[in-house]
Amino acid sequence: MSAPRLERAPLRAPLTHDATARVDRLARLLDRAVGIPGTGIRIGLDPLLGLVPGFGDFATGAISLYIILEAARLGVPSTTLVRMLGNVAIDTFGGSVPLVGDLFDVAWKSNTKNVALLQDHVGRPTGARRASKLTIALVALGVVALVVGAVFLTVWLVKGLARLAT
């Protein structure tokens, strides 16, 4: 006589919690790690790295890609992934404008917005489906294209300002 088979509980819930906790920590680090004394304003690495023309926006855009990829792995619908990509695009292009972009980065917290979208999806009682590899690849390609575009925009603006100064 064989022993009864025990059914294993699905690992999705703990894995989902771990993933959302990771992206929340990352968003906090990028968008709201430190408070500015005397104000209600919190900043993270995003506006600080944005002070380095081209590189800062490239770096934060690449890091933001991780949050979107985690969302795709957790089955966030394509429409929400597009919204998340739009948040990163606004942040990347807005932040790439010299000086004004750094102030924009303080106000526009795309990573925090994207984590909220992810948590909204995870908190729904409906079943989630995993995003296809094609969807994940397209989202990754889109973010890379946005970041490269931001670098070119920054170089173009800096060259234009240099011509005006001479």
Side-chain angles (χ1 to χ4, degrees):
M1 181 178 255
S2 65
R5 252 182 118 179
L6 297 176
E7 294 293 323
R8 288 187 180 176
L11 296 176
R12 182 148 178 81
L15 293 177
T16 300
H17 175 71
D18 291 346
T20 56
R22 271 194 312 272
V23 296
D24 186 49
R25 282 191 304 272
L26 180 61
R28 191 178 325 117
L29 177 67
L30 289 171
D31 290 344
R32 56 191 195 280
V34 179
I36 299 174
T39 69
I41 299 172
R42 297 189 65 79
I43 63 169
L45 289 178
D46 188 10
L48 296 176
L49 288 174
L51 293 171
V52 181
F55 170 78
D57 297 311
F58 175 76
T60 57
I63 294 169
S64 296
L65 172 64
Y66 174 74
I67 295 172
I68 297 172
L69 287 175
E70 277 294 338
R73 283 189 200 120
L74 292 173
V76 170
S78 297
T79 54
T80 305
L81 292 174
V82 169
R83 284 181 62 193
M84 295 171 88
L85 195 57
N87 286 335
V88 173
I90 291 168
D91 187 19
T92 303
F93 285 115
S96 67
V97 178
L99 299 178
V100 175
D102 300 316
L103 295 174
F104 181 80
D105 275 339
V106 170
W108 185 264
K109 300 184 182 316
S110 66
N111 299 299
T112 300
K113 292 174 189 295
N114 287 345
V115 168
L117 288 170
L118 171 60
Q119 289 173 340
D120 180 50
H121 168 74
V122 170
R124 288 189 202 142
T126 59
R129 64 170 183 79
R130 292 179 59 86
S132 70
K133 289 181 182 181
L134 177 62
T135 301
I136 294 171
L138 289 174
V139 168
L141 183 64
V143 171
V144 169
L146 290 172
V147 171
V148 169
V151 170
F152 281 116
L153 178 64
T154 301
V155 170
W156 179 74
L157 286 171
V158 169
K159 284 183 178 181
L161 290 172
R163 280 189 218 124
L164 288 175
T166 58

